Amino acid sequence: MAAVTEHLTHEHPAERLRTNRLGLWLFIASESFLFAALISARYYLLGTERSEHLNQALGFAISLVLLTSSLFAYRAETAARFGDQRGFRRATATTIALGLLFMVGVVLEWREGLAFFPPSTLYGSAFFTLVGFHAFHVFTGVVALALLLFVGRDGRFGPENHWPVEGVVKYWHFVDVAWVFIFPTLYLVK
Amino acid sequence: MAKPETVQGRRSAMALGTAVFVALIVLDAIEFVVAQVAGQLLLWMTLLAIPQAALILWFYMHIRQLWREEAH
Amino acid sequence: MAILKGIAGAVAGYALGFAVVAAAQLAMGNPVGGAVPVVIGSVFATVGWLLGVGLWRAWAREWFGLEPRLDVPTGPGRYFRFNTDHKVIGVQYLVTFVIVFGLAGLLAMVIRWELITPAADLGGDAYNQVMSLHGILMVAVAVAAVLGGLGNYCVPLMIGARDMAFPRLNALSYWLIPPVAVLLLTAPFVGGWDSGWTAYPPLSVVNAGGQVLFVVAIVIFGLSSILGGLNAIATILRMRAPGMTLMRMPIFVWSVLAASIISLLFTQFFAASLILVLLDRVAGTTFFEAAGGGNPLLYQHLFWFYSHPAVYVMILPGFGITLEVLTHFSRKPLFAYKGAVAGFLGIVVLSGIVWAHHMFTSGMAHFMNIPFMALTELISIPTGLVFLSALGTIWRGRLWLRTPMLFALAVLFNFAIGGVTGIYLADVATDIHLQDTYFVVAHFHYTIVGGEIFALMAGIYYWYPKITGRMYREGLGRLHAVWMFLAFQLVFLPLFVAGIHGMNRRINEYVEPLRGYNVFASVAAFVLGAVFLIALGNLVWSWARGRVAEANPWRATTLEWTTSSPPPPHNFEQTPEVVGDPYPYGEPGAVHVRPVTVPTIAGGSE
Ligand code: HEM
Ligand SMILES: [Cu+2]
C-alpha cells in the first residue's frame, strides 16, 4: 500500500506510517461527529425515554460480543506486528466471526423491535437509524477484515508491513467505541 | 510499549490486551447492573462509558502514537 | 478513455443497484419502484463511476492484493483522468467550478429577470426550482472552488511539499464531484425540488422526487469535502519542508487549515440531517413529522450546526487569499500575523456554538435566544483580529494596484458591509423583522460573493501566471475588478432596503411599492453578469496566447514563486529550506527561503 504513496510524496516509510496514522485519526474524528449527530437527535426527540419492549439482555450480550471482537482485533494486530502469521490469521478470523455474530444479534433484535416499536414510531425511528448506521459500520469493518485475511494469506504482513492491518484494526476499535456510547443511549438510559 | 520483535515483548503485549479486555467487560457489566437499579441514568451511563472508550482509545488504538514517536 | 470507462461503470453500477433493490422488493411481495431503487442505484453508480474512472487501477487493486497501476500521463489528456498530481487536481477543481459558477450565474439571471415585475411571470413552482438550484450550485462553488482549487494547487507549493499527503485520496475527492453534478442536474427532470438549498422539512419530506436526488448528491458532495479537508490537514501538519514551522507558513495555508478542520468535522451533520430526511421519505421513519411525534426543528438544529460553520469554510480561505495578496502588494510584512492566526482559530471554535441564530423565528425555546445572540456577536472579536491584520498591513504600505490587489481591497469593503449587517441579524429584536427577507439575501451575498468570490478572483489572478505559465491582460483584469465591484454594490445595496421594507425571500411576486428596488437590482445584475464574459475571455485567451510569465512576476517572497511557472511535476528541483518568516519585505537581509538557483524560464509541466 504504502509504496505508491511513498513514491508520490517522497516520504521515508517511517514518516509515511505516521502520516497514514494521522489521516486515519482524522477520519475517525469525522466519523465520531456523525454518531454524535445521530445520538443527539435521539436525545433531542425523546429525552431519556425508552421503550418498555427493548430486550436489554440481548443488547448486553451483543455488547460483550463486540468488546470480545476488539480483543481479537488487538491480538491480530499484535501478531502481525511480531510476524506471527498463524496468530494473525486465527485472530483475524475470530474477529470476523464475532463481527458476524454481532450482526446476527442485531437481526434478531430488529425482528423483535419491528413488532413493538416499528420505525413509524419515534422511538423506532431513533433506534433503527442509530443501530442501522452502526451495523453498517460493522459490516464495512467485516469486509475490510476479510480482505486483510485474503490478501495476507501469503504472509505479507509482518514487522515491516503492518499498516494495512493496523489501519483496519483501528477502524474496528473505533466502531466498538461508537457502540460503547450507543449501547447505553438506546438500551440503558431512562 | 515493550520492545518489538522479542517473544517477551509479544507476550507482554498480549497480556496487556487481555487485561484491558477484562477491565472492559467488568465496566460493561457494572453499567448493565447499574442501569437496572439506579436512577439518574444519563449521568451514570456517561460516567461508565467514558472509561471504556478511554481504555480502547489508549491501549487498543494506541492514540499516543499521534504525539509520541515510536519504533512501530 | 478513463471517462468512458467511468460512464460504463456508472451505468453498470446503476443497473446493479436498481436490480438488487427491485429483486428484494419482488421477494418481499412489494411493488417494484419508488425512490429506494433510485437511491441505491445512484450510490452504486457513483461507486461504479469511481472504479471505472481510475480508482480500480490506481488504488482498489491493492485492496485485493494486486499491484496498483499508476501512470503519470502528460499533455492535455492528464486533466481528463484519475490523476494524483495536486496541481492537475487543483486545475480540475477550478475549471469544474468555474463552469458550475457560470451555470448557477445564468440561473441568477433568470431569477432577476422574473423579479423585474411584481407579477408572477414564471410559475411559482418553476421559480422555486430555479432558485433552489441556483442556491445549491453556488453553495457548492463557495465550499469547493477555493479549497479544492486554489487550496489544492497552492498549499503543497507554499509549504514546500511534493504533493498532498494522500494523492490518491485527493483524486478520489475530485472525481466524486461529477456524480454530484449529474444528480443535481437530472433532478429537474423528475420534478425538481423546491425547498431551497436548505431543504427544510416538512416540505422536503413531501415534495417532488427531485429532492431525493438532491439528498444523494449532497451526501456525496459532503463526502468529497470531508476527504478533501482530511487531506489538507494531514498535508499541512505532515508535509512541510525543513524549516517551515507552523508560524512560518504563509497565511493562506493557515486559512486552509482552519477551514479544513470545519469541513472535516461539521460536514457530517449536514449528511446526517439529509439522511434523516431521506429515511422519513423512504423508510417510514418519523423524525420530522409532528403527527408521528417528530419535530422539524431537529432538522434545523442539525443543519445549521453544519451550515453556519460552513459559511466559515467559505470565507476563511477567502480571508487567507486577501491577506496574502494585501501583504505582497503592499510590500510589507503581514501585520499582526499571530493575531490573524488566532483569529482564524477563534473563528473555528466559535463557529460551532452559534448555529441557532438562524432559528430565532422558528419556534425554538425562547431561553436560547439571548445566549445565541451573545455568542454570535462574540465572533466579531476574531473577525476583528483578521481585519486588524488587513488594515495594519495596507496602512502606509506602497500599494501596488494590480488586479489581485484591487480585488483584495474590494473584499475588505464588501465584507465590512456583510459583517456589520450580520449584527442586525444576530440581534433577536431586529432579526424578528428581518428574517426571511431580502435583507438576509443581501447580507449573505455581501459575505459570500463580496467576501469569498471576490477573494477567489483575487486568487485566480494572483496565481494565474503560476498555474498557466502565462500572464493575463492587466487592463482587462482591472476592468473586471472595477466593474464587478461597482455592479455588485448596485445589485445588493438596494436589496437591503427592499428587505427592510418587507420584501420576502423565495417569493416570485411582490407588492407594487417594491418594484423600484427590484428593477434597479435586476438591471444592475445583468450588468454584473456581463462582466464575467470579459473575464472569461481574458483568462481563456491568455492561457492560450498570453505573454509567457516569469517564475516570479510579482517579486513575491513565498515558496510557490521560487519554482518555475508552471512548476515541474515534482514541484521543486531541490527540497527548499525555509529559514525565516514568509513576508520579509523591507527587512534587509531577511529571507523566507534559503536561496537556490531557480530556472526563470517557464519549465512547463511536461
Ligand atoms: C461577521 C459576522 C456574521 C454574522 C454576525 C452573521 C449573522 C447572520 C445571521 C444572524 C443570519 C440569519 C439571518 C436570518 O435568517 O434571519 C445570517 C444568515 C446568513 N449568513 Fe451570516 N453572519 C456573519 C457572517 C457571515 C459570513 C462570513 C457568511 C458567509 C461567508 C455568512 C453567510 C450567511 C448565509 C448564507 C446566511 C443565510 C442562510 C439562509 O438562510 O439561507 N454570514 N448571518
Ligand atoms: Cu450563521
Side-chain angles (χ1 to χ4, degrees), chain C residues 265-291:
Chain C
L265 301 177
F266 290 89
T267 310
Q268 296 279 8
F269 272 70
F270 197 2
S273 61
L274 287 178
I275 290 176
L276 298 189
V277 164
L278 189 66
L279 290 176
D280 268 10
R281 287 184 77 110
V282 305
T285 56
T286 175
F287 287 104
F288 306 126
E289 200 158 352

Side-chain angles (χ1 to χ4, degrees), chain A residues 26-73:
Chain A
L26 291 173
F27 181 72
I28 287 173
S30 176
E31 287 280 282
S32 56
F33 268 60
L34 172 65
F35 286 111
L38 296 171
I39 290 176
S40 34
R42 179 261 194 266
Y43 286 118
Y44 181 84
L45 290 175
L46 289 148
T48 54
E49 182 190 330
R50 177 181 87 199
S51 165
E52 284 310 312
H53 300 288
L54 264 177
N55 190 341
Q56 282 188 320
L58 182 55
F60 183 52
I62 61 176
S63 292
L64 294 182
V65 169
L66 207 56
L67 287 174
T68 315
S69 79
S70 253
L71 170 65
F72 282 93

Side-chain angles (χ1 to χ4, degrees), chain C residues 453-540:
Chain C
I453 301 296
F454 272 74
L456 172 67
M457 298 301 155
I460 288 179
Y461 282 104
Y462 175 55
W463 283 300
Y464 187 87
K466 181 55 57 187
I467 294 173
T468 64
R470 292 177 186 270
M471 204 58 184
Y472 60 84
R473 290 291 207 76
E474 182 62 31
L476 289 176
R478 288 187 203 178
L479 179 69
H480 175 193
V482 174
W483 183 335
M484 183 167 157
F485 177 73
L486 293 176
F488 176 76
Q489 315 301 328
L490 296 180
V491 180
F492 288 101
L493 278 178
L495 293 182
F496 281 119
V497 188
I500 292 172
H501 287 302
M503 166 111 189
N504 280 323
R505 63 190 283 209
R506 298 180 172 171
I507 289 290
N508 66 333
E509 337 170 49
Y510 52 87
V511 291
E512 181 59 37
L514 294 170
R515 187 198 279 262
Y517 304 113
N518 279 287
V519 173
F520 192 93
S522 287
V523 173
F526 302 142
V527 175
L528 176 60
V531 72
F532 290 101
L533 299 178
I534 299 178
L536 198 66
N538 183 11
L539 295 177
V540 171

Side-chain angles (χ1 to χ4, degrees), chain C residues 24-162:
Chain C
Q25 285 174 328
L26 277 179
M28 293 195 300
N30 294 337
V32 172
V36 185
V38 178
V39 171
I40 302 296
S42 307
V43 173
F44 276 49
T46 305
V47 175
W49 155 260
L50 288 173
L51 290 175
V53 90
L55 182 66
W56 170 254
R57 252 175 91 75
W59 198 354
R61 285 172 60 90
E62 222 167 69
W63 307 338
F64 296 87
L66 306 171
E67 274 300 306
R69 308 220 171 111
L70 208 71
D71 31 26
V72 188
T74 53
R78 70 187 187 280
Y79 291 108
F80 295 95
R81 48 200 303 168
F82 196 86
N83 195 318
T84 55
D85 183 342
H86 72 98
K87 299 183 291 301
V88 171
I89 297 174
V91 172
Q92 287 171 330
Y93 263 105
L94 275 177
V95 173
T96 307
F97 281 100
V98 164
I99 294 171
V100 176
F101 182 72
L103 209 65
L106 287 177
L107 293 168
M109 298 296 108
V110 175
I111 294 175
R112 283 318 319 173
W113 167 77
E114 147 69 47
L115 292 173
I116 287 184
T117 68
D121 309 298
L122 202 64
D125 195 40
Y127 178 81
N128 284 342
Q129 290 189 33
V130 170
M131 176 275 297
S132 302
L133 191 57
H134 161 77
I136 196 64
L137 291 179
M138 283 299 194
V139 165
V141 170
V143 167
V146 175
L147 277 182
L150 295 175
N152 239 316
Y153 197 99
C154 300
V155 163
L157 288 169
M158 293 173 102
I159 61 173
R162 192 190 147 94

